[in-house]
């Protein structure tokens, strides 16, 4: 390939031995650029990918001097293999694991009764959050906040109850041969990180560096004394902060360069992407490829519909199935099935184990929470859907989902669409605008509130998935928002 000026500059900095942070916008050919870097030196390197499929694909493009693995594969080779007998053990409900840890009765926190099932799930999620962190020991901030129990005092009380069981679960996971807690891949990654490992390589290439768990960040930054670090990603696509991931690009100690020429789409879509990049105060702006005639307009039959929430995805699946289309859901339908079954339990008078709904004893209380509590606003579409169609219809819809290679339309959340692309994309209606302020413009209309950076980054991910045509749909409110005008600064 003939490298662009930006790619050539990256090769020059890399060959000089500098640590490098490479901001690579949507569709700018980051993997090709990393392959150029690796091919420019005889040194031994490692490419660390987000998942196995990406690592396998990269292995076909990198020279033989570079080993392409996930972080989990590195950890397994060094430490995780000792726990191989526990991996892939039989699944069991979280409450049974909690029971084995000694969680046998409910506890009352504030006005909520926390069932032994809900407490068991909170304990196991605490261990998961600890494994994603850079912390050396379990602490109160690892205990998740539960819906319906948002107050600080209530969380302190929950952490006081949950932490002793979480520490007992972590101690159980240290045994390589047997234990009561199901052993997962994140467990051996954390065990490996706690050994302060040294990765044998001359340089390390970290992909998707904008969404790095602190546990991996800690391991990699410790390598900079003996290995050259290249962090590549797109800070504007840092959309997993809600689960503990961090953007380690912007504050990285090294040379900062950009890849701004997108080969995925044309200038019109690049202009739309730049609107969201400006709102998110991102460190990059994109240039589209003139030879790619991407359009913005109405899409009658999209290849993909991108949603803000899982609840929005449920609505889109139902709508397109009723229209007679074959529908696929990115990631499969099990998350929808679990939500529908949880709703059925509540409607039939049973408590549910689902972590989103576990603190609600009845369907009526969930309806009230979705209607009146600001923290439950995102549940409103799901509640309306269940009230209108019923749980049986939703479960039947899950059974009708098709594989992506045999479908008319793929429905996805924007989070799960990251790294994907389709010819024609529609943005779903659940990308709602910010609430209005109490101020008014010259015409008397309420002035909308500012757009949250996280929402702007998610919108940027959504609008940059299209190659041929983008229907901005549920994000069209940006045209009337003060921050969306071409003159906004």
């Amino acid at each position: 390939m003939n490298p662009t000026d930006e790619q050539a500059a990256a090769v020059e900095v890399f060959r000089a031995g500098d640590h490098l942070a490479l901001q690579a916008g949507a569709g700018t050919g980051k993997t090709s650029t990393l392959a150029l870097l690796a091919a420019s030196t005889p040194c031994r390197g490692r490419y660390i990918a987000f998942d196995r499929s990406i690592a396998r694909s990269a292995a076909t493009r990198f020279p033989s001097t570079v080993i392409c693995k996930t972080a989990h594969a590195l950890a397994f080779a060094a430490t995780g293999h000792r726990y191989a007998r526990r991996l892939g053990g039989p699944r069991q409900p979280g409450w049974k694991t909690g029971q084995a840890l000694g969680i046998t009765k409910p506890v009352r926190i504030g006005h909520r009764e926390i069932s032994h099932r809900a407490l068991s799930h909170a304990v196991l999620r605490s261990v998961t959050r600890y494994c994603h962190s850079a912390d050396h020991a379990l602490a109160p901030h690892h205990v998740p906040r539960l819906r319906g129990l948002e107050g600080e005092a209530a969380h302190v009380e929950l952490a006081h109850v949950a932490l002793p069981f979480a520490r007992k679960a972590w101690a159980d996971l240290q045994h390589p041969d047997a234990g009561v807690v199901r052993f997962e891949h994140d467990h051996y990654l954390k065990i490996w990180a706690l050994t302060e490992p040294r990765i044998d390589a001359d340089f390390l290439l970290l992909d998707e560096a904008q969404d790095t768990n602190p546990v991996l960040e800690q391991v990699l930054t410790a390598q900079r004394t003996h290995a050259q670090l290249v962090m590549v990603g797109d800070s504007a696509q840092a959309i997993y902060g809600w689960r503990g991931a961090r953007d380690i690009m912007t504050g990285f100690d090294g040379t900062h360069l950009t890849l701004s020429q997108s080969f995925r789409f044309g200038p019109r879509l690049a202009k739309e992407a730049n609107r969201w990049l400006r709102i998110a105060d991102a460190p990059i702006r994109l240039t589209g490829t003139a030879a790619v005639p991407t359009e913005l307009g109405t899409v009658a039959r999209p290849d993909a519909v991108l949603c803000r929430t899982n609840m929005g995805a449920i609505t889109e699946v139902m709508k397109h199935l009723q229209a007679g289309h074959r529908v696929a859901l990115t990631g499969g339908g099990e998350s929808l099935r679990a939500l529908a079954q949880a709703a059925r339990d509540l409607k039939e008078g049973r408590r549910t184990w689902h972590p989103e709904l576990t603190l609600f004893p009845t369907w009526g209380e969930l309806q009230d929470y979705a209607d009146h509590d600001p923290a439950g606003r995102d549940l409103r579409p799901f509640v309306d859907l269940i009230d209108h169609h019923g749980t049986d219809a939703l479960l039947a819809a899950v059974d009708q989902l098709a594989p992506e290679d045999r479908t008319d339309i793929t429905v996805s959340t924007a989070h799960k669409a990251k790294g994907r692309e389709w010819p024609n994309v529609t943005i779903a209606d659940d990308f709602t605008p910010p609430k209005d302020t109490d101020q008014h413009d010259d015409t008397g209309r309420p002035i909308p509130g500012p757009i949250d950076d996280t929402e702007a980054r998610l919108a940027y991910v959504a609008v940059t998935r299209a190659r041929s045509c983008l229907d901005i749909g549920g994000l069209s409110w940006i045209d009337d928002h003060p921050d969306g005008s071409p003159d906004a600064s």
Side-chain angles (χ1 to χ4, degrees):
M1 60 176 289
N2 293 320
T4 65
D5 291 344
E6 291 175 324
Q7 291 171 327
V11 171
E12 183 177 350
V13 168
F14 176 75
R15 293 188 67 180
D18 294 355
H19 296 302
L20 174 61
L22 188 59
Q23 290 281 354
T28 56
K30 63 176 179 176
T31 305
S32 299
T33 305
L34 291 179
L36 281 173
L37 302 188
S40 71
T41 176
C43 296
R44 299 173 303 111
R46 289 184 181 268
Y47 167 80
I48 302 173
F50 193 70
D51 62 42
R52 283 185 296 176
S53 63
I54 294 174
R56 284 195 297 267
S57 175
T60 66
R61 305 175 68 178
F62 280 84
S64 59
T65 51
V66 177
I67 298 173
C68 301
K69 299 284 186 182
T70 64
H72 285 89
L74 291 176
F76 185 84
T79 302
H81 65 276
R82 301 206 310 265
Y83 299 85
R85 283 185 292 275
R86 289 190 64 175
L87 276 170
R91 294 186 179 274
Q92 66 174 352
W95 67 266
K96 286 192 174 182
T97 303
Q99 195 173 57
L101 294 170
I103 303 172
T104 58
K105 58 184 180 180
V107 296
R108 179 162 289 277
I109 296 178
H111 66 285
R112 296 280 189 191
E113 181 181 90
I114 312 300
S115 70
H116 69 285
R117 296 186 179 213
L119 182 58
S120 297
H121 283 284
V123 165
L124 296 177
R125 288 170 64 198
S126 300
V127 173
T128 298
R129 287 160 60 94
Y130 164 63
C131 288
H132 292 165
S133 78
D135 301 323
H136 286 281
L138 275 153
H141 63 269
H142 298 127
V143 178
R145 295 182 180 272
L146 303 182
R147 279 193 185 272
L149 206 67
E150 285 90 2
E152 187 60 34
H155 183 262
V156 169
E157 194 173 346
L158 174 64
H160 178 74
V161 173
L163 267 180
F165 293 111
R167 290 175 179 137
K168 188 174 181 180
W170 182 243
D172 173 272
L173 290 165
Q174 306 310 301
H175 300 292
D177 296 317
V180 299
V181 181
R182 178 181 164 87
F183 199 93
E184 305 282 358
H185 295 280
D186 283 347
H187 297 146
Y188 66 71
L189 180 66
K190 181 66 173 180
I191 293 171
W192 174 63
L194 290 172
T195 68
E196 301 181 357
R198 184 184 192 277
I199 301 174
D200 183 25
D202 299 313
F203 63 88
L204 300 172
L205 310 173
L206 176 64
D207 201 356
E208 299 289 345
Q210 80 283 345
D211 278 318
T212 304
N213 282 334
V215 62
L216 181 57
E217 177 189 4
Q218 180 187 52
V219 169
L220 292 178
T221 53
Q223 312 301 315
R224 65 183 299 136
T225 56
H226 74 274
Q228 183 183 8
L229 301 184
V230 178
M231 304 294 180
V232 62
D234 184 352
S235 291
Q237 295 190 51
I239 58 175
Y240 285 104
W242 54 275
R243 69 179 190 191
R246 274 181 17 93
D247 172 20
I248 65 175
M249 304 268 299
T250 51
F252 182 70
D253 182 13
T255 301
H256 288 248
L257 296 176
T258 61
L259 298 177
S260 62
Q261 174 71 52
S262 180
F263 304 102
R264 178 181 299 158
F265 44 76
R268 290 193 65 191
L269 202 150
K271 182 179 179 181
E272 179 62 31
N274 287 337
R275 171 158 62 171
W276 294 102
L277 288 169
R278 174 174 46 77
I279 294 169
D281 196 24
I284 194 172
R285 298 293 184 270
L286 295 179
T287 301
T289 298
V292 182
T294 313
E295 296 295 327
L296 273 71
T298 302
V299 174
R301 289 290 298 271
D303 299 289
V305 178
L306 305 186
C307 307
R308 171 66 182 83
T309 64
N310 286 323
M311 310 307 174
I314 296 172
T315 304
E316 289 295 326
V317 166
M318 295 287 288
K319 179 174 75 175
H320 289 288
L321 283 174
Q322 289 172 351
H325 300 145
R326 291 174 299 174
V327 181
L329 180 67
T330 301
E334 289 312 304
S335 61
L336 301 193
R337 188 186 304 278
L339 274 168
Q341 290 171 337
R344 184 169 62 186
D345 286 342
L346 291 179
K347 289 177 75 70
E348 294 178 357
R350 297 187 298 272
R351 297 295 291 258
T352 176
W353 58 266
H354 196 286
E356 282 286 294
L357 310 179
T358 188
L359 292 188
F360 301 98
T362 65
W363 183 252
E365 189 164 338
L366 177 61
Q367 288 173 312
D368 185 67
Y369 176 79
D371 275 336
H372 304 297
D373 194 313
R377 184 175 63 167
D378 64 314
L379 287 175
R380 183 71 260 172
F382 172 67
V383 171
D384 288 343
L385 192 72
I386 295 296
D387 286 341
H388 182 71
H389 294 285
T391 56
D392 288 344
L394 184 52
L395 288 167
V398 172
D399 291 335
Q400 294 177 58
L401 290 172
E404 284 197 53
D405 59 353
R406 296 198 299 273
T407 188
D408 301 320
I409 294 173
T410 296
V411 175
S412 177
T413 62
H415 285 93
K416 291 180 180 176
K418 193 162 75 114
R420 304 284 303 277
E421 58 183 71
W422 295 270
N424 303 299
V425 172
T426 293
I427 307 299
D429 292 336
D430 62 338
F431 283 85
T432 54
K435 289 184 175 180
D436 291 337
T437 66
D438 56 4
Q439 299 178 329
H440 295 77
D441 62 18
D442 295 340
T443 66
R445 294 190 307 173
I447 296 175
I451 300 170
D452 181 77
D453 284 355
T454 302
E455 297 302 314
R457 290 195 296 271
L458 194 62
Y460 162 68
V461 170
V463 301
T464 54
R465 300 306 98 194
R467 295 193 303 268
S468 299
C469 190
L470 171 70
D471 186 338
I472 197 170
L475 286 170
S476 58
W477 52 262
I478 189 62
D479 292 330
D480 298 320
H481 194 283
D483 293 343
S485 69
D487 298 327
S489 62

